[in-house]
C-alpha cells in the first residue's frame, strides 16, 4: 500500500536527519491515521485512493501556505514549503492531461456535464483534476 511506502520514506528521512521531509511525512501519516479511524468507525477499510485524496488535499494546502509566506515576504519558508510539496507530489499518480480528458469525453455517448462528471469521478478518481474536466466539458 501507498502508506507503507510513505512510512519507509519517513524512516529514511529520520536516518538522514532530514527534518523538512520528516515534518511533512508526519503530517501525512497523521492525516492518514485519522482518516483510517474515521473509516473504521463506518465499517470501511482505507484504500490507496483514500490516501491519494489526502495527499492531493495536502498539496493544495501547501500551495496556499506557500502563497501566504510569499505575501509575507518569507522566501525561506516559501522554499521549504516548495520542497515539501515536491516530496508529497512524488506519491501522486500522473494526472490526466487536457488532451487525454478530451479524448475520454469524446468516447462517451452522453456528453452532458452530469454524465461526464459522473464518468470521470467513477473511473479516474485521484488521476484527474475534476475542475479541469468540468471546464473542458463546458468548453
Amino acid at each position: 500500500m501507498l502508506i507503507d511506502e510513505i512510512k519507509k520514506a519517513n524512516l529514511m528521512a529520520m536516518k538522514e536527519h532530514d527534518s523538512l521531509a520528516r515534518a511533512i511525512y508526519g503530517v501525512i501519516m497523521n492525516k492518514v491515521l485519522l482518516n483510517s479511524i474515521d473509516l473504521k468507525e463506518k465499517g470501511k477499510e482505507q484504500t490507496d485512493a483514500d490516501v491519494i485524496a489526502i495527499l492531493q488535499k495536502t498539496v493544495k494546502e501547501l500551495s496556499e501556505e506557500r502563497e501566504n509566506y510569499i505575501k509575507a515576504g518569507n522566501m525561506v519558508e516559501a522554499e521549504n514549503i516548495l520542497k515539501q510539496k515536491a516530496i508529497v507530489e512524488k506519491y501522486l499518480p500522473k494526472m490526466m492531461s487536457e488532451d487525454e480528458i478530451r479524448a475520454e469525453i469524446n468516447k462517451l455517448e452522453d456528453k452532458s456535464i452530469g454524465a461526464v462528471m459522473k464518468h470521470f469521478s467513477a473511473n479516474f478518481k485521484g488521476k484527474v483534476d475534476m475542475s479541469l474536466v468540468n471546464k473542458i466539458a463546458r468548453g
Side-chain angles (χ1 to χ4, degrees):
M1 284 191 71
L2 187 57
I3 189 61
D4 296 327
E5 290 178 43
I6 292 170
K7 287 178 181 177
K8 285 178 190 171
N10 182 49
L11 285 174
M12 288 301 298
M14 197 183 310
K15 288 177 184 175
E16 295 169 0
H17 303 286
D18 185 346
S19 60
L20 200 63
R22 285 261 306 117
I24 195 62
Y25 285 131
V27 167
I28 292 167
M29 290 187 311
N30 190 27
K31 287 180 178 187
V32 169
L33 178 64
L34 291 172
N35 185 57
S36 175
I37 292 168
D38 249 7
L39 289 172
K40 280 184 182 170
E41 287 175 358
K42 297 174 184 170
K44 297 178 182 176
E45 286 293 314
Q46 190 171 49
T47 64
D48 276 350
D50 296 319
V51 176
I52 288 170
I54 291 167
L55 294 174
Q56 288 172 326
K57 185 175 180 191
T58 302
V59 166
K60 187 176 180 182
E61 290 167 353
L62 287 170
S63 295
E64 291 167 1
E65 191 175 342
R66 183 170 185 267
E67 287 174 27
N68 290 334
Y69 278 119
I70 290 171
K71 287 177 187 172
N74 189 340
M75 298 314 286
V76 173
E77 278 303 316
E79 265 314 297
N80 289 340
I81 297 292
L82 194 60
K83 290 174 187 171
Q84 288 181 329
K85 188 176 162 188
I87 290 169
V88 177
E89 286 175 336
K90 72 182 178 185
Y91 295 100
L92 291 173
K94 181 184 165 285
M95 299 298 272
M96 291 178 75
S97 69
E98 285 189 38
D99 292 337
E100 291 170 322
I101 293 169
R102 280 192 182 90
E104 189 65 29
I105 290 172
N106 288 335
K107 291 180 194 173
L108 299 175
E109 283 184 37
D110 181 1
K111 293 179 177 53
S112 68
I113 300 294
V116 169
M117 297 303 285
K118 188 174 181 179
H119 173 76
F120 276 89
S121 182
N123 298 304
F124 299 102
K125 190 170 187 159
K127 295 177 182 145
V128 67
D129 179 351
M130 292 304 286
S131 61
L132 183 59
V133 171
N134 191 356
K135 180 181 158 194
I136 292 170
R138 291 181 189 279

